Amino acid sequence: VRASDTHHLSVRELALAYYVQGDWFQILFIHGFPLDRTVWRQIMATLTGWRRIAPDLRGMGLSDVPNRYSMTEYADDLVALLDALSAPKAVICGLSMGGYIAFEMMRRHPDRIRALILCNTRAEADAEDGKRRRNDMIGLVQREGTGALADVMVPKLLAPASLKVMPAVVEHVRTMIAGNPPAGVVGAIEAMRDRPDSTEMLPKIDLPTLVIAGRDDQLIPPAASRKLADSIPGAQFTLIPDAGHLSPLEQPVATSRVIAEFLGAID
Protein backbone atom coordinates (compact mmCIF):
# COMPACT_ATOMS: atom_id res chain seq x y z
CA VAL A 1 0.00 0.00 0.00
CA ARG A 2 1.52 3.29 -1.08
CA ALA A 3 1.00 6.64 0.62
CA SER A 4 -0.84 7.79 -2.51
CA ASP A 5 -3.45 5.08 -1.86
CA THR A 6 -4.78 6.91 1.21
CA HIS A 7 -8.44 7.91 0.98
CA HIS A 8 -10.68 10.05 3.19
CA LEU A 9 -14.35 9.69 4.07
CA SER A 10 -16.57 11.84 6.23
CA VAL A 11 -18.41 9.75 8.83
CA ARG A 12 -20.09 10.89 12.04
CA GLU A 13 -18.96 14.48 11.42
CA LEU A 14 -15.27 13.67 11.14
CA ALA A 15 -12.95 12.71 8.29
CA LEU A 16 -11.29 9.31 8.59
CA ALA A 17 -8.21 8.44 6.55
CA TYR A 18 -8.00 4.86 5.36
CA TYR A 19 -6.37 2.38 3.00
CA VAL A 20 -8.54 0.07 0.91
CA GLN A 21 -7.41 -2.67 -1.48
CA GLY A 22 -9.09 -5.54 -3.31
CA ASP A 23 -12.68 -6.65 -3.42
CA TRP A 24 -15.03 -9.46 -2.38
CA PHE A 25 -15.19 -10.28 1.34
CA GLN A 26 -14.23 -7.47 3.72
CA ILE A 27 -11.57 -7.47 6.44
CA LEU A 28 -11.23 -4.42 8.67
CA PHE A 29 -7.82 -3.86 10.27
CA ILE A 30 -7.81 -1.78 13.47
CA HIS A 31 -4.42 -0.46 14.55
CA GLY A 32 -3.14 -0.26 18.10
CA PHE A 33 -1.98 2.59 20.34
CA PRO A 34 -0.35 4.97 19.59
CA LEU A 35 0.05 3.92 15.96
CA ASP A 36 -1.74 4.43 12.64
CA ARG A 37 -2.99 2.51 9.61
CA THR A 38 0.52 2.03 8.18
CA VAL A 39 1.22 -0.73 10.71
CA TRP A 40 -0.86 -2.97 8.40
CA ARG A 41 0.81 -2.14 5.07
CA GLN A 42 2.71 -5.39 4.59
CA ILE A 43 -0.16 -7.54 5.82
CA MET A 44 -2.56 -5.87 3.41
CA ALA A 45 -0.20 -6.34 0.48
CA THR A 46 -0.26 -10.14 0.82
CA LEU A 47 -3.94 -10.92 1.46
CA THR A 48 -5.21 -10.97 -2.09
CA GLY A 49 -8.78 -12.07 -2.65
CA TRP A 50 -10.13 -9.97 0.20
CA ARG A 51 -11.18 -6.34 0.39
CA ARG A 52 -8.73 -4.98 2.95
CA ILE A 53 -9.68 -1.81 4.85
CA ALA A 54 -7.29 -0.12 7.29
CA PRO A 55 -8.37 3.25 8.76
CA ASP A 56 -6.66 5.73 11.03
CA LEU A 57 -8.72 5.92 14.22
CA ARG A 58 -10.08 9.28 15.26
CA GLY A 59 -7.28 11.47 16.56
CA MET A 60 -4.57 9.30 14.96
CA GLY A 61 -2.60 9.45 11.72
CA LEU A 62 -4.34 11.61 9.13
CA SER A 63 -7.84 11.38 10.61
CA ASP A 64 -9.58 14.31 12.28
CA VAL A 65 -8.90 15.12 15.93
CA PRO A 66 -12.30 15.56 17.62
CA ASN A 67 -13.08 16.16 21.30
CA ARG A 68 -14.73 12.83 22.25
CA TYR A 69 -12.85 9.56 22.74
CA SER A 70 -14.08 6.20 24.03
CA MET A 71 -14.28 2.63 22.85
CA THR A 72 -17.90 3.36 21.93
CA GLU A 73 -16.89 6.28 19.72
CA TYR A 74 -14.19 4.25 17.98
CA ALA A 75 -16.55 1.31 17.38
CA ASP A 76 -19.33 3.51 16.01
CA ASP A 77 -16.85 5.35 13.76
CA LEU A 78 -15.74 2.08 12.21
CA VAL A 79 -19.25 0.77 11.67
CA ALA A 80 -20.10 4.08 9.98
CA LEU A 81 -17.02 3.63 7.78
CA LEU A 82 -18.17 0.12 6.84
CA ASP A 83 -21.58 1.58 5.99
CA ALA A 84 -19.99 4.22 3.77
CA LEU A 85 -17.97 1.51 2.00
CA SER A 86 -21.05 -0.71 1.51
CA ALA A 87 -19.64 -3.43 3.75
CA PRO A 88 -22.51 -5.01 5.70
CA LYS A 89 -20.21 -7.57 7.36
CA ALA A 90 -16.48 -7.81 7.87
CA VAL A 91 -13.82 -9.89 9.53
CA ILE A 92 -12.50 -7.65 12.32
CA CYS A 93 -8.75 -7.78 12.96
CA GLY A 94 -7.68 -5.70 15.98
CA LEU A 95 -4.14 -5.14 17.24
CA SER A 96 -3.72 -4.28 20.94
CA MET A 97 -6.09 -1.31 21.46
CA GLY A 98 -7.69 -2.42 18.20
CA GLY A 99 -8.70 -5.58 20.05
CA TYR A 100 -10.42 -3.49 22.72
CA ILE A 101 -12.36 -1.78 19.94
CA ALA A 102 -13.19 -5.16 18.40
CA PHE A 103 -14.74 -6.24 21.71
CA GLU A 104 -16.78 -3.03 21.77
CA MET A 105 -17.96 -3.74 18.22
CA MET A 106 -18.98 -7.21 19.40
CA ARG A 107 -20.91 -5.60 22.23
CA ARG A 108 -22.65 -2.93 20.13
CA HIS A 109 -22.72 -4.27 16.56
CA PRO A 110 -22.44 -8.09 16.65
CA ASP A 111 -24.39 -8.49 13.42
CA ARG A 112 -21.63 -6.64 11.51
CA ILE A 113 -18.87 -9.10 12.39
CA ARG A 114 -18.13 -12.23 10.38
CA ALA A 115 -15.08 -13.41 12.33
CA LEU A 116 -12.50 -12.09 14.81
CA ILE A 117 -8.72 -11.85 14.70
CA LEU A 118 -7.29 -10.65 18.01
CA CYS A 119 -3.60 -9.67 17.85
CA ASN A 120 -1.54 -8.98 20.97
CA THR A 121 -4.54 -7.90 23.00
CA ARG A 122 -6.50 -8.71 26.15
CA ALA A 123 -10.10 -8.63 27.36
CA GLU A 124 -9.53 -7.36 30.90
CA ALA A 125 -10.09 -3.73 31.87
CA ASP A 126 -7.29 -1.75 33.51
CA ALA A 127 -6.77 -2.36 37.21
CA GLU A 128 -6.08 0.62 39.48
CA ASP A 129 -2.32 0.48 38.98
CA GLY A 130 -2.86 0.34 35.24
CA LYS A 131 -5.09 3.41 35.39
CA ARG A 132 -2.39 5.25 37.34
CA ARG A 133 0.13 4.41 34.62
CA ARG A 134 -2.30 5.71 32.00
CA ASN A 135 -2.61 8.99 33.92
CA ASP A 136 1.17 9.25 34.15
CA MET A 137 1.36 8.75 30.39
CA ILE A 138 -1.19 11.52 29.83
CA GLY A 139 0.96 13.83 31.94
CA LEU A 140 4.05 12.94 29.90
CA VAL A 141 2.35 13.71 26.58
CA GLN A 142 0.92 16.96 27.87
CA ARG A 143 4.29 18.10 29.23
CA GLU A 144 6.73 16.82 26.62
CA GLY A 145 4.75 15.73 23.56
CA THR A 146 4.46 12.53 21.57
CA GLY A 147 8.20 12.37 20.83
CA ALA A 148 8.83 11.73 24.52
CA LEU A 149 6.13 9.05 24.47
CA ALA A 150 7.93 7.37 21.56
CA ASP A 151 11.14 7.25 23.59
CA VAL A 152 9.31 5.43 26.38
CA MET A 153 7.17 3.10 24.29
CA VAL A 154 9.36 1.88 21.44
CA PRO A 155 11.52 -0.40 23.68
CA LYS A 156 8.33 -1.87 25.18
CA LEU A 157 6.45 -2.41 21.92
CA LEU A 158 9.18 -4.28 20.05
CA ALA A 159 10.99 -7.51 20.83
CA PRO A 160 14.63 -7.12 21.93
CA ALA A 161 15.76 -8.79 18.70
CA SER A 162 13.67 -6.37 16.63
CA LEU A 163 15.29 -3.42 18.36
CA LYS A 164 18.73 -4.75 17.41
CA VAL A 165 18.29 -5.99 13.86
CA MET A 166 15.28 -4.10 12.43
CA PRO A 167 16.24 -0.41 12.31
CA ALA A 168 13.61 0.34 9.65
CA VAL A 169 10.86 -1.11 11.86
CA VAL A 170 12.14 0.81 14.88
CA GLU A 171 12.10 4.04 12.88
CA HIS A 172 8.63 3.31 11.51
CA VAL A 173 7.21 2.79 15.00
CA ARG A 174 8.95 5.91 16.33
CA THR A 175 7.63 7.96 13.41
CA MET A 176 4.07 6.74 13.91
CA ILE A 177 4.07 7.60 17.60
CA ALA A 178 5.83 10.96 17.35
CA GLY A 179 3.69 11.99 14.37
CA ASN A 180 0.34 11.51 16.09
CA PRO A 181 -1.50 14.59 17.42
CA PRO A 182 -1.08 14.92 21.22
CA ALA A 183 -4.80 15.55 21.72
CA GLY A 184 -5.68 12.33 19.88
CA VAL A 185 -3.09 10.36 21.85
CA VAL A 186 -4.41 11.69 25.16
CA GLY A 187 -7.95 10.85 24.09
CA ALA A 188 -6.90 7.30 23.25
CA ILE A 189 -5.19 6.86 26.62
CA GLU A 190 -8.34 8.03 28.39
CA ALA A 191 -10.45 5.65 26.29
CA MET A 192 -8.21 2.71 27.20
CA ARG A 193 -8.11 3.70 30.87
CA ASP A 194 -11.91 3.85 31.07
CA ARG A 195 -12.78 0.88 28.84
CA PRO A 196 -15.15 -1.81 30.14
CA ASP A 197 -14.06 -5.31 31.04
CA SER A 198 -14.86 -7.78 28.27
CA THR A 199 -13.99 -11.09 29.95
CA GLU A 200 -17.61 -12.06 30.60
CA MET A 201 -18.46 -11.94 26.91
CA LEU A 202 -15.66 -14.30 25.84
CA PRO A 203 -17.53 -17.61 26.43
CA LYS A 204 -20.47 -16.22 24.46
CA ILE A 205 -18.51 -15.46 21.29
CA ASP A 206 -19.79 -17.84 18.61
CA LEU A 207 -17.74 -16.57 15.67
CA PRO A 208 -14.59 -18.02 14.12
CA THR A 209 -11.78 -16.48 16.17
CA LEU A 210 -8.01 -16.38 15.83
CA VAL A 211 -5.77 -15.15 18.65
CA ILE A 212 -2.23 -14.11 17.68
CA ALA A 213 0.55 -13.53 20.23
CA GLY A 214 4.18 -12.48 20.02
CA ARG A 215 6.56 -14.83 21.80
CA ASP A 216 8.55 -11.86 23.15
CA ASP A 217 5.62 -9.53 23.89
CA GLN A 218 6.60 -7.47 26.95
CA LEU A 219 3.15 -5.90 27.41
CA ILE A 220 0.88 -8.93 27.03
CA PRO A 221 2.71 -12.18 27.84
CA PRO A 222 1.98 -15.19 25.61
CA ALA A 223 0.36 -16.98 28.55
CA ALA A 224 -2.23 -14.19 28.78
CA SER A 225 -3.01 -14.53 25.07
CA ARG A 226 -3.30 -18.29 25.44
CA LYS A 227 -5.78 -17.73 28.27
CA LEU A 228 -7.75 -15.37 26.03
CA ALA A 229 -7.97 -18.01 23.29
CA ASP A 230 -8.94 -20.72 25.77
CA SER A 231 -11.83 -18.53 26.99
CA ILE A 232 -13.41 -18.27 23.52
CA PRO A 233 -15.14 -21.45 22.28
CA GLY A 234 -13.27 -22.96 19.35
CA ALA A 235 -10.72 -20.15 19.08
CA GLN A 236 -7.40 -20.82 17.38
CA PHE A 237 -4.15 -19.68 18.98
CA THR A 238 -0.88 -18.90 17.23
CA LEU A 239 2.42 -17.81 18.75
CA ILE A 240 4.66 -15.79 16.42
CA PRO A 241 8.39 -16.32 17.09
CA ASP A 242 10.75 -13.34 17.26
CA ALA A 243 7.88 -10.87 17.68
CA GLY A 244 7.01 -8.52 20.49
CA HIS A 245 3.78 -6.55 20.89
CA LEU A 246 3.61 -5.65 17.18
CA SER A 247 3.56 -9.06 15.49
CA PRO A 248 2.09 -7.79 12.17
CA LEU A 249 4.91 -5.28 11.82
CA GLU A 250 7.83 -7.27 13.25
CA GLN A 251 7.02 -10.59 11.53
CA PRO A 252 4.67 -9.74 8.66
CA VAL A 253 5.38 -12.91 6.64
CA ALA A 254 4.54 -15.29 9.48
CA THR A 255 1.57 -13.19 10.60
CA SER A 256 0.18 -12.92 7.07
CA ARG A 257 0.46 -16.67 6.59
CA VAL A 258 -1.49 -17.37 9.77
CA ILE A 259 -4.18 -14.84 8.88
CA ALA A 260 -4.45 -16.15 5.31
CA GLU A 261 -4.91 -19.72 6.55
CA PHE A 262 -7.61 -18.57 8.98
CA LEU A 263 -9.42 -16.57 6.29
CA GLY A 264 -9.19 -19.49 3.88
CA ALA A 265 -10.90 -21.75 6.40
CA ILE A 266 -13.88 -19.40 6.82
CA ASP A 267 -14.12 -18.34 3.15
Side-chain angles (χ1 to χ4, degrees):
V1 183
R2 300 163 302 191
S4 59
D5 292 326
T6 302
H7 303 272
H8 290 81
L9 265 178
S10 179
V11 299
R12 304 185 72 231
E13 300 183 350
L14 76 155
L16 292 184
Y18 66 99
Y19 289 145
V20 61
Q21 279 189 312
D23 51 22
W24 204 236
F25 297 124
Q26 333 279 338
I27 178 167
L28 176 69
F29 292 99
I30 312 174
H31 66 76
F33 170 85
L35 310 172
D36 63 31
R37 71 198 182 286
T38 64
V39 76
W40 298 111
R41 273 193 307 220
Q42 295 182 73
I43 303 294
M44 289 182 67
T46 63
L47 294 177
T48 56
W50 286 74
R51 189 184 188 201
R52 291 92 74 198
I53 305 164
D56 283 335
L57 297 170
R58 61 168 53 205
M60 300 285 190
L62 299 179
S63 289
D64 280 353
V65 186
N67 295 322
R68 300 187 311 275
Y69 296 87
S70 68
M71 294 302 145
T72 296
E73 297 288 352
Y74 291 129
D76 290 353
D77 288 348
L78 295 181
V79 169
L81 178 64
L82 292 177
D83 288 340
L85 295 174
S86 301
K89 276 202 170 190
V91 174
I92 306 300
C93 179
L95 169 66
S96 191
M97 185 179 82
Y100 308 157
I101 298 169
F103 287 131
E104 189 65 19
M105 293 178 74
M106 277 293 302
R107 190 177 285 111
R108 295 175 59 80
H109 308 283
D111 58 319
R112 307 301 298 272
I113 303 176
R114 186 177 180 194
L116 282 173
I117 303 173
L118 302 170
C119 301
N120 305 87
T121 193
R122 58 162 55 98
E124 297 85 358
D126 281 356
E128 287 305 313
D129 60 337
K131 292 182 178 182
R132 284 193 293 271
R133 288 194 295 270
R134 302 281 190 203
N135 290 333
D136 292 342
M137 191 178 294
I138 289 172
L140 174 66
V141 174
Q142 290 175 334
R143 290 190 311 270
E144 303 180 39
T146 51
L149 180 64
D151 292 338
V152 172
M153 290 205 67
V154 168
K156 299 177 181 179
L157 290 171
L158 299 174
S162 301
L163 292 168
K164 292 179 180 178
V165 302
M166 297 182 177
V169 170
V170 173
E171 184 58 28
H172 183 190
V173 175
R174 185 176 298 279
T175 299
M176 282 190 286
I177 298 173
N180 274 324
V185 170
V186 169
I189 299 170
E190 292 172 341
M192 291 189 293
R193 180 195 64 196
D194 300 334
R195 74 185 187 277
D197 190 281
S198 297
T199 53
E200 290 187 1
M201 69 186 297
L202 299 180
K204 304 172 187 176
I205 294 176
D206 59 355
L207 298 171
T209 302
L210 169 66
V211 176
I212 297 174
R215 188 180 62 190
D216 301 317
D217 193 332
Q218 302 174 66
L219 299 179
I220 299 179
S225 293
R226 167 66 78 175
K227 180 180 177 182
L228 172 62
D230 289 344
S231 300
I232 300 173
Q236 302 176 36
F237 174 77
T238 296
L239 188 65
I240 304 294
D242 302 317
H245 193 61
L246 304 182
S247 299
L249 190 60
E250 297 174 78
Q251 296 297 331
V253 174
T255 305
S256 293
R257 182 173 61 250
V258 169
I259 292 175
E261 290 173 355
F262 175 74
L263 294 177
I266 66 173
D267 189 352

